[in-house]
Amino acid sequence: MVSKGDLAAVLASLLPAPGSGGLVGADALRCARALGVDGVAVSVTVGSGLNELLWSTPGVSTQLEDLQFTLGEGPGPEVAASGTAVSVPDLMREPVDRWPVLLPEGLALGIRAVFCLPLLAGSACLGTMTLQRARPGPLEEIPLADAWIVTHALTAALVQDAGQWGAFAAAEDGSDFYRAAVHQATGMISVQAGVSLAEALIRLRAHAFRHGRPLNEVAEDVVARRVHFRHDDGDGRAPLAGGGTEGP
């Protein structure tokens, strides 16, 4: 168990420097160690079913966050939609029908326990903090309480730094974001296929999953116009450039 001094250092590192436009000095690995988990990832909501990875420990946590974003299922999407924390002490004991695709993928990454907390500003969920661990078992009372403290600090930092949060909330193309291509591709597909942004993201995710490719990679193809989602041709499928087809 880490000392309260260690936790205080983590919290101090989450404070934005004046005029910085972002969270400065935030060390995700140090945060994970302070909370007694193997990894942590924080994503913020940017609208239309999209979220942006703000920071994370490298490796498994980043992979889990990308996997949830590609599939549109998992603790992160659940928490973002409900504003309620999700705790899964053992992925192997979780009903398969809860996250039918994510569960086996998460286990393949070596994850046995996952805990996801909302970043709440009043009743609004601004994002999520997901903790993962290779060892099964619940998050103990003190680390859980500390995790909630971290979420409050993260939320306060986002809200107080108006420039940073304003960029997330108002962004249209997300050109400076980790998932910049996904934000851009979603808008392009919406226009190409004549569908809403939410439907465009569903189609992009479906294509990435069907072809076993990372979502960012497929999005880059859309932005580069190597893949094109056209208006439905009458049978519920949208032709793609290069002779492929994409279902709704």
Side-chain angles (χ1 to χ4, degrees), residues 195-213:
V195 297
S196 68
L197 289 172
E199 173 67 15
L201 180 58
I202 290 172
R203 294 188 180 206
L204 182 63
R205 282 171 166 160
H207 182 75
F209 178 70
R210 181 176 295 116
H211 294 278
R213 300 178 63 200

Side-chain angles (χ1 to χ4, degrees), residues 75 86-91 94 98-99 103 112-116 137:
V86 167
S87 177
V88 182
D90 192 346
L91 261 63
E94 197 65 15
R98 184 175 189 180
W99 306 314
L103 281 173
R112 286 294 301 275
V114 63
F115 315 96
C116 189

